[in-house]
C-alpha cells in the first residue's frame, strides 16, 4: 500500500479499491499496522484483526465481481457503545466488560451492509458520560497532536483512529458534543445529524432525548458518504435562489472563547465571502438557558438509564461518572419540566433563526485541547470547569436536535481548531456543503 | 436547612445509600447544580397567572 492510500480519504479509498489500485486486505493490513504502532494513544478497546481479515477477503471477492456497495472493503471503526454481534461491547465500562451481543446495532448493520470492514471497537468515556475519554477501565486516550493532551470525547478513540489512519472512518455518538468535540480537538470532521436520522437501536443509551449517532472522518465528503449509509438517505442541499446564508453566532454563550480560536474561526468565515456566501451576525438570547437545560435533562435521563446499576453496581463505576449519576438521581421532576420548557423556547427561537439564515456558525469548542487531568479553564471573567467549557457550544444542538458538523479550520499554537456549522432539521446538505467550502479554503494538512 | 443536610435527605429518600465521604464528594457538584438551575427557575417559573 502506498503511504498515500492509507492516509487517503475514505472516498479516495473506495475509488482506489474499485480501480484495483489497492486490495481490501492490503488496506486493512496498513490500518492494523497503524493500530499497532499507535497503541499508546489508547484508541481501541478491542481490535478485531482476524474477523476483519476474513471480511476483507470476502470484500475483495465481491470487488473482483464488480460489486459497487458504497463502502465495500473500507476499514472502519465503531465506538464501543454500539452492539456488535459476536464482538465484546463494553460501553467503556467495567459493568459490561464481558457483554458479547448477539446482534449488531442498527447503525453497525448498515455499515456492514454497505460492505465496510470492521477493524475494532474504539475507546470512549465510560458509558459516553464525559468528554475527555480518560477512561479508568480501558486506558486514558491521548491526543495524537500532543499526547499530554486529551483528544476530547466521548468518542475520543474514534477520532484518534481516524486522524492517525487506523481506519478510514468511524462511528460515534453525540449527546452533548461527543462526536464534534473530539473531531475539533484532533483535527478531523464530525457530523451529528438531525435527531433520529441515524437509528440508535443497539446503542447503549446515555440520555434518550439527546442521543445521536453519526460519522467521524478525515474529510467532509467522507462524512457525507457515511451519513448517507447510516441514515439510508441522501443529504441534498436545500434549493435556494441566492448563495448560502451564514449567521455567525454572537452573544453571551460565545463571549468566553480563546482569542486564537475566535480569530481562526472568524478568518475561516471571512474567507467564505469569496465563495458568494452571505455572512451576517446573529444573536439568540434564548441560548442563555441552554447550559442549565442540558445539564438537567442529561443528568436526569442518564440516571434513569442507570438507576438499577447505580444502586447494585455502584463500585463498578469510575469516580467522575458515579458522581454525575448520583447527582442526576437527586434532580426533582420540577426542574426537569423547567428544562423542557427552556428547550421548547430554544427550539422556537432556532426555527425562527433558520428562516433568516441557512447555517449558524460558531467555534466547536471555546478552547484548544486541554492537558489530560486539567480541571478548570481560567477566563478573564472567571473560571469554568474544563468539561463544561468543552460542551458549552455543542450542547444547544443536542437539545434542539438540529444537525451540526465540526470541520477543522486552522491550527493554533500547534493544535487544531474546529469550526461548528449547524443547520435546520433535516438539512444536513447545507451543513455539508458549507463545511466543504471551509475545508477547501483552509487546506490543512491534518494527518498524524 | 443547610445544603449538606438537604443533600443527605434527598440521597436518603432516593435510596442511594451514600457514605459520608460520597456525600462530601457530591456536595460541590450539588452546589453548582443549585446555582445553575436557579437560572431556569427564575426565567421560567412565572406561576399560573403568567402561564
Amino acid at each position: 500500500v502506498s503511504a498515500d492510500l492509507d492516509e487517503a480519504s475514505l472516498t479516495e479509498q473506495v475509488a482506489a479499491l474499485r480501480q484495483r489500485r489497492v486490495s481490501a486486505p492490503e488496506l486493512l493490513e496498513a490500518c492494523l499496522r497503524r493500530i499497532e504502532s499507535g497503541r499508546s494513544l489508547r484508541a481501541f478497546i478491542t481490535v478485531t484483526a482476524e474477523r476483519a481479515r476474513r471480511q476483507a477477503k470476502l470484500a475483495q471477492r465481491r470487488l473482483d465481481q464488480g460489486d459497487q456497495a458504497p463502502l465495500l472493503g473500507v476499514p472502519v471503526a465503531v465506538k464501543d457503545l454500539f452492539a456488535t454481534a459476536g464482538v465484546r461491547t463494553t460501553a467503556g465500562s467495567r459493568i459490561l466488560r464481558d457483554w458479547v451481543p448477539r446482534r449488531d446495532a442498527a447503525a453497525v448493520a448498515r455499515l456492514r451492509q454497505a460492505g465496510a470492514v470492521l477493524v475494532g471497537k474504539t475507546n470512549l468515556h465510560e458509558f459516553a458520560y464525559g468528554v475527555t475519554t480518560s477512561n479508568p477501565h480501558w486506558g486514558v486516550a491521548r491526543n495524537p497532536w500532543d499526547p499530554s493532551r486529551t483528544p476530547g470525547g466521548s468518542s475520543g478513540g474514534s477520532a484518534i483512529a481516524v486522524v492517525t489512519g487506523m481506519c478510514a472512518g468511524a462511528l460515534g455518538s453525540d449527546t452533548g458534543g461527543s462526536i464534534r468535540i473530539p473531531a475539533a480537538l484532533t483535527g478531523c470532521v464530525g457530523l451529528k445529524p438531525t435527531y433520529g436520522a441515524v437509528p440508535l437501536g443497539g446503542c447503549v443509551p446515555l440520555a434518550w432525548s439527546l442521543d445521536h449517532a453519526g460519522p467521524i472522518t478525515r474529510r467532509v465528503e467522507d462524512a457525507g458518504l457515511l451519513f448517507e449509509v447510516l441514515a439510508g438517505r441522501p443529504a441534498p442541499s436545500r434549493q435556494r435562489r441566492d448563495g448560502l446564508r451564514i449567521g455567525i453566532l454572537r452573544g453571551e454563550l460565545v463571549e468566553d472563547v480563546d482569542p486564537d480560536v475566535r480569530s481562526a474561526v472568524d478568518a475561516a468565515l471571512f474567507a467564505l465571502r469569496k465563495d458568494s456566501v452571505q455572512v451576517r451576525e446573529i444573536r439568540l438570547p434564548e441560548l442563555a438557558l441552554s447550559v442549565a437545560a442540558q445539564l438537567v435533562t442529561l443528568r436526569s435521563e442518564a440516571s434513569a438509564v442507570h438507576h438499577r446499576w447505580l444502586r447494585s453496581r455502584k463500585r463498578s463505576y469510575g469516580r467522575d461518572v458515579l458522581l454525575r449519576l448520583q447527582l442526576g438521581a437527586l434532580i426533582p421532576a420540577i426542574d426537569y419540566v423547567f428544562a423542557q420548557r427552556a428547550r421548547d423556547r430554544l427550539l422556537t427561537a432556532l426555527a425562527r433563526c433558520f428562516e433568516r439564515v441557512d447555517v449558524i456558525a460558531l467555534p466547536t469548542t471555546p478552547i484548544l485541547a486541554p492537558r489530560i487531568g486539567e480541571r478548570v479553564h481560567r477566563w478573564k471573567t472567571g473560571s469554568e470547569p474544563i468539561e463544561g467549557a468543552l460542551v458549552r457550544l455543542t450542547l444547544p444542538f443536542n437539545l434542539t436536535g438540529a444537525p451540526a458538523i465540526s470541520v477543522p479550520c486552522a491550527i493554533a499554537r500547534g493544535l487544531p481548531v474546529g469550526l461548528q456549522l449547524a443547520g435546520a432539521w433535516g438539512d444536513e446538505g447545507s451543513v455539508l456543503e458549507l463545511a466543504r467550502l471551509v475545508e477547501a479554503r483552509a487546506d490543512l494538512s491534518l494527518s498524524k | 436547612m443547610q445544603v449538606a443536610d438537604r443533600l443527605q435527605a434527598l440521597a436518603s429518600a432516593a435510596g442511594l445509600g451514600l457514605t459520608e465521604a460520597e456525600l462530601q464528594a457530591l456536595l460541590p457538584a450539588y452546589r453548582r447544580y443549585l446555582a445553575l438551575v436557579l437560572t431556569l427557575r427564575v426565567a421560567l417559573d412565572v406561576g399560573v397567572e403568567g402561564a
Side-chain angles (χ1 to χ4, degrees):
Chain A
V1 183
S2 74
D4 302 1
L5 263 182
D6 51 338
E7 283 185 10
S9 73
L10 186 152
T11 314
E12 287 162 351
Q13 288 189 9
V14 170
L17 284 161
R18 287 181 183 169
Q19 293 159 9
R20 309 285 192 277
R21 284 188 281 127
V22 67
S23 72
E26 284 171 336
L27 208 47
L28 172 66
E29 291 305 325
C31 289
L32 293 174
R33 280 195 295 276
R34 283 177 179 260
I35 291 172
E36 189 53 37
S37 65
R39 279 168 72 104
S40 63
L41 299 173
R42 299 282 190 165
F44 282 86
I45 289 177
T46 305
V47 179
T48 52
E50 287 315 310
R51 278 172 178 265
R53 287 186 174 111
R54 290 196 294 274
Q55 287 170 18
K57 265 189 203 167
L58 285 172
Q60 190 56 47
R61 257 184 243 157
R62 289 171 61 187
L63 281 160
D64 292 340
Q65 289 161 4
D67 194 326
Q68 300 276 308
L71 302 177
L72 192 52
V74 174
V76 299
V78 170
K79 183 179 187 177
D80 204 19
L81 197 67
F82 293 85
T84 39
V87 176
R88 178 178 69 170
T89 299
T90 69
S93 71
R94 196 169 130 195
I95 291 175
L96 292 177
R97 69 181 164 188
D98 297 320
W99 181 40
V100 180
R102 283 193 211 151
R103 295 201 312 186
D104 282 331
V108 174
R110 288 187 178 182
L111 290 174
R112 283 198 208 276
Q113 211 166 15
V117 172
L118 175 59
V119 295
K121 307 295 295 289
T122 53
N123 198 1
L124 65 152
H125 208 104
E126 181 181 10
F127 284 116
Y129 204 0
V131 288
T132 62
T133 319
S134 291
N135 189 307
H137 315 295
W138 302 98
V140 174
R142 295 181 179 278
N143 194 315
W145 290 79
D146 175 352
S148 74
R149 293 177 187 273
T150 173
S154 62
S155 313
S158 288
I160 298 167
V162 165
V163 171
T164 55
M166 296 175 182
C167 60
L171 178 62
S173 71
D174 189 317
T175 304
S178 289
I179 287 174
R180 292 159 288 160
I181 294 164
L185 302 192
T186 62
C188 59
V189 177
L191 171 66
K192 181 202 78 66
T194 305
Y195 182 76
V198 176
L200 282 167
C203 175
V204 176
L206 173 57
W208 293 289
S209 76
L210 302 166
D211 290 344
H212 299 67
I216 298 178
T217 57
R218 287 200 278 278
R219 307 286 294 186
V220 176
E221 63 176 347
D222 302 341
L225 175 57
L226 276 187
F227 169 76
E228 292 190 2
V229 166
L230 290 167
R233 67 167 169 87
S237 258
R238 268 201 292 195
Q239 295 295 315
R240 59 180 72 80
R241 262 185 239 150
D242 308 313
L244 272 164
R245 300 165 300 168
I246 309 181
I248 306 177
L249 187 68
R250 301 290 188 217
E252 193 185 328
L253 196 74
V254 286
E255 240 154 55
D256 283 333
V257 172
D258 181 305
D260 288 342
V261 172
R262 188 189 300 282
S263 57
V265 165
D266 284 350
L269 293 169
F270 186 78
L272 292 177
R273 291 172 200 265
K274 293 173 192 160
D275 296 297
S276 310
V277 173
Q278 301 171 46
V279 183
R280 63 198 284 191
E281 294 192 351
I282 56 159
R283 284 169 193 274
L284 270 168
E286 292 80 0
L287 283 171
L289 295 177
S290 61
V291 173
Q294 169 82 5
L295 181 95
V296 172
T297 306
L298 172 58
R299 295 280 182 269
S300 303
E301 293 189 13
S303 296
V305 170
H306 286 265
H307 79 103
R308 285 200 191 122
W309 287 336
L310 186 53
R311 287 157 180 87
S312 64
R313 302 290 305 272
K314 188 167 83 173
R315 294 187 199 296
S316 300
Y317 289 103
R319 195 170 182 275
D320 63 333
V321 169
L322 177 62
L323 202 75
R324 287 172 197 143
L325 289 171
Q326 287 173 331
L327 182 64
L330 306 178
I331 292 176
I334 290 169
D335 287 347
Y336 187 82
V337 171
F338 281 140
Q340 303 322 300
R341 283 175 62 85
R343 197 174 182 180
D344 210 37
R345 282 191 184 182
L346 181 56
L347 270 164
T348 306
L350 202 60
R352 276 201 305 266
C353 182
F354 284 127
E355 289 168 7
R356 291 178 286 133
V357 298
D358 299 302
V359 173
I360 297 171
L362 66 164
T364 308
T365 60
I367 53 175
L368 297 166
R371 292 199 185 279
I372 290 165
E374 202 177 331
R375 300 176 73 112
V376 169
H377 188 86
R378 304 210 184 278
W379 303 105
K380 281 180 188 162
T381 52
S383 59
E384 185 177 23
I386 287 289
E387 294 243 355
L390 288 174
V391 298
R392 174 165 31 101
L393 305 182
T394 49
L395 62 84
F397 308 108
N398 294 84
L399 276 172
T400 56
I405 198 168
S406 179
V407 57
C409 68
I411 307 291
R413 306 201 297 272
L415 296 167
V417 178
L419 167 60
Q420 185 176 204
L421 302 165
W425 299 268
D427 191 18
E428 281 81 4
S430 295
V431 166
L432 287 162
E433 185 184 341
L434 195 57
R436 256 181 235 118
L437 294 176
V438 172
E439 182 181 58
R441 289 277 172 206
D443 192 24
L444 304 170
S445 176
L446 293 162
S447 290
K448 294 308 288 176
Chain B
M1 195 188 252
Q2 297 290 310
V3 174
D5 296 334
R6 191 169 148 201
L7 177 62
Q8 189 161 29
L10 274 173
S12 174
L16 288 185
L18 300 188
T19 63
E20 183 56 34
E22 284 175 326
L23 269 173
Q24 290 307 316
L26 199 51
L27 201 52
Y30 185 62
R31 282 187 207 279
R32 280 197 302 274
Y33 163 76
L34 289 178
L36 197 58
V37 89
L38 192 63
T39 60
L40 276 182
R41 292 183 181 181
V42 167
L44 298 164
D45 188 7
V46 291
V48 175
E49 310 90 327

